[in-house]
Amino acid sequence: MEPCTLLCRHYVRFRKLAQFATSTRRRRIGRVLHSPLLFPFQKWHHVVHSVANKTFRSFIENYTVRPFSKMSGSIELANPHLETMCSDFLYHLNINVENSQEPTEIKNKFGDVKVICCGGTVSRMRQLALYLRKVLDDPETGEPVDLCSGGHRYAMFKVGPVLTVSHGVGSSTFSVVLHELLKLVKYAGCEDPVFLRIGTCGGVGVPPGTVVVTKNAFNGFLRNEHEIAILGKRVVRPAQFPDSVIKDVIAYGSKEDDGFKTISGNTMGTDCFYEGQGRLDGAICEYTEADKMEFLKKCFDLGIVNIEMEASMFASVTQKIGVKAGDVCVTIVNRLNGDQVEITMEKKHEFEQRPFLVVGRYIKNLLQKC
Ligand SMILES: O=P(O)(O)O[C@@H]1C[C@H](O)[C@@H](CO)O1
Ligand SMILES: O=c1cc[nH]c(=O)[nH]1
């Protein structure tokens, strides 16, 4: 058993003990009876509390980031509190999970999942499900069923061992469904699942229609990290995708006769489509065109070839948990030439099929190896 799992188990035990020791009923009895017998017990609960806190802190310190080399087998979530819950309602997915040792409905339904593909829109994820049916020779012919329609937030389709899930626009909506998907695959007992984002993006010096596989994910401050406010404090985490996934996806990238290029490079994930990406066409803009070009030049110098709104959060959350992940996006505008997305919806639709092709080949090969 990994040291962090051990620490986590101990923390949960200590916490239960501490809760028992501090229960109101016992304190009230102690006060009423003034029993000298209870005195050592009351002293003891402080010790239990401090050990529980120390254990928890050491869990957090030990569990900073799971090394890529350990990314295989079952998932270890980075939250000891989950072990104390007897059920978990994945609210936005509208899926309730009962904590039982027996094979549950969730294991029967999702235990075979090997790949989780996420992307902004419901229609793209539905199309991807239809596309994967062909690639994976899935005999299913009916309309793909949305498995979380009751949540009214996201859509989730299943094709054999692959889930395709919509995540909305940006990190904030994606992070919500990502937390719930990570818990879902954990509870379902999935082995070594791979998370992929299949999206659209703006290119930096790259022609529209190019497929980019992200190397390092930068945030809007041009740092290779993700920052988030937690308990009123700024928490910064690394944001890298594992080389093995990048290499494997690139290996199934476009061939000469596919008619487009697949490249790997750094991606900037911003919290805003307009000002955050240095556009001049938002409702607010307080910089000049020269400032914008200087910023894009800085991006280019950092090896950033595309800009979207999820990469740094996606890389950091998956890296923290230690699950394999990759970001595969098609460029729909070259930001060195302008800000407006001017391609037709038909062209955009055509471009969106390109990551399908690359990811479809990667998934087929991955499943054959399993
Ligand atoms: O997966 P999609 O195409 O939604 O990704 C990009 C990044 C933002 O979510 C959105 C902005 O238009 O498109
Ligand atoms: O420029 C673009 C295009 C798509 N998505 C983005 O976030 N930015």
Side-chain angles (χ1 to χ4, degrees):
M1 193 181 292
E2 293 205 6
C4 55
T5 319
L6 261 176
L7 280 167
C8 164
R9 295 259 154 84
H10 286 315
Y11 164 70
V12 171
R13 272 188 213 124
F14 277 131
R15 213 180 76 152
K16 278 189 181 146
L17 225 49
Q19 274 164 356
F20 173 76
T22 52
S23 86
T24 347
R25 208 171 127 246
R26 271 163 202 285
R27 267 190 269 126
R28 212 178 296 141
I29 292 170
R31 234 180 286 129
V32 173
L33 295 179
H34 294 288
S35 163
L37 274 177
L38 282 177
F39 183 67
F41 176 75
Q42 284 164 359
K43 246 179 139 185
W44 174 72
H45 91 251
H46 287 295
V47 178
V48 173
H49 249 312
S50 100
V51 176
N53 277 336
K54 269 191 200 136
T55 316
F56 182 69
R57 262 189 225 115
S58 103
F59 168 81
I60 297 296
E61 276 155 21
N62 276 282
Y63 202 108
T64 28
V65 174
R66 193 178 181 198
F68 287 139
S69 58
K70 291 205 174 162
M71 278 185 184
S72 65
S74 56
I75 298 168
E76 301 276 349
L77 297 178
N79 178 3
H81 302 287
L82 293 175
E83 298 225 2
T84 65
M85 291 163 59
C86 33
S87 70
D88 190 353
F89 180 47
L90 309 177
Y91 164 55
H92 301 86
L93 294 177
N94 192 36
I95 295 175
N96 192 40
V97 185
E98 296 294 336
N99 184 2
S100 131
Q101 295 304 312
E102 298 306 311
T104 55
E105 200 189 326
I106 221 73
K107 287 193 173 142
N108 295 336
K109 222 165 158 183
F110 297 104
D112 64 336
V113 168
K114 292 271 173 235
V115 184
I116 304 95
C117 299
C118 301
T121 67
V122 175
S123 72
R124 192 188 314 141
M125 291 302 106
R126 185 186 154 278
Q127 275 168 25
L128 180 60
L130 291 171
Y131 178 81
L132 289 174
R133 274 186 190 169
K134 282 192 239 147
V135 173
L136 304 179
D137 300 319
D138 188 297
E140 195 63 63
T141 51
E143 177 61 20
V145 179
D146 177 359
L147 299 174
C148 63
S149 60
H152 302 285
R153 292 279 187 184
Y154 304 94
M156 174 161 71
F157 306 100
K158 190 167 184 293
V159 182
V162 184
L163 291 179
T164 71
V165 187
S166 68
H167 63 59
V169 172
S171 289
S172 57
T173 63
F174 188 13
S175 85
V176 173
V177 76
L178 187 56
H179 274 260
E180 292 183 12
L181 286 169
L182 282 161
K183 293 198 289 175
L184 181 70
V185 291
K186 165 73 184 174
Y187 296 143
C190 301
E191 286 282 310
D192 214 4
V194 181
F195 283 74
L196 298 172
R197 186 178 115 71
I198 290 116
T200 61
C201 59
V204 183
V206 168
T210 307
V211 172
V212 178
V213 182
T214 302
K215 263 192 204 159
N216 289 318
F218 285 67
N219 63 12
F221 296 104
L222 297 179
R223 297 169 85 100
N224 178 205
E225 60 194 26
H226 176 63
E227 76 171 57
I228 178 172
I230 300 176
L231 303 185
K233 292 195 186 103
R234 182 172 165 263
V235 174
V236 179
R237 292 179 180 145
Q240 273 122 16
F241 291 109
D243 281 341
S244 61
V245 177
I246 301 166
K247 235 175 64 207
D248 286 355
V249 176
I250 284 283
Y252 296 101
S254 41
K255 317 249 179 293
E256 249 170 45
D257 51 1
D258 286 335
F260 65 93
K261 280 206 168 126
T262 306
I263 60 168
S264 71
N266 297 335
T267 299
M268 177 168 66
T270 66
D271 290 331
C272 168
F273 183 82
Y274 290 99
E275 292 171 280
Q277 299 187 4
R279 281 188 155 82
L280 299 174
D281 58 350
I284 304 170
C285 182
E286 297 178 316
Y287 42 80
T288 64
E289 172 147 28
D291 297 335
K292 163 193 148 178
M293 292 315 288
E294 193 188 321
F295 173 68
L296 291 179
K297 165 93 176 37
K298 257 192 206 160
C299 293
F300 189 80
D301 291 344
L302 286 167
I304 293 171
V305 294
N306 67 331
I307 308 175
E308 39 87 287
M309 297 177 67
E310 291 84 10
S312 55
M313 180 285 298
F314 182 39
S316 85
V317 171
T318 48
Q319 186 174 7
K320 177 88 183 165
I321 299 295
V323 288
K324 290 185 184 136
D327 197 358
V328 187
C329 294
V330 65
T331 60
I332 55 173
V333 56
N334 180 356
R335 291 298 314 291
L336 297 188
N337 295 342
D339 297 336
Q340 294 259 302
V341 177
E342 285 171 337
I343 57 168
T344 60
M345 278 299 151
E346 287 74 40
K347 198 75 191 160
K348 184 177 169 238
H349 180 75
E350 186 199 316
F351 283 174
E352 282 177 342
Q353 310 298 306
R354 295 180 175 184
F356 287 10
L357 189 83
V358 175
V359 162
R361 284 183 194 140
Y362 165 80
I363 293 176
K364 190 174 172 120
N365 191 274
L366 184 85
L367 297 180
Q368 275 164 0
K369 280 196 234 155
C370 288

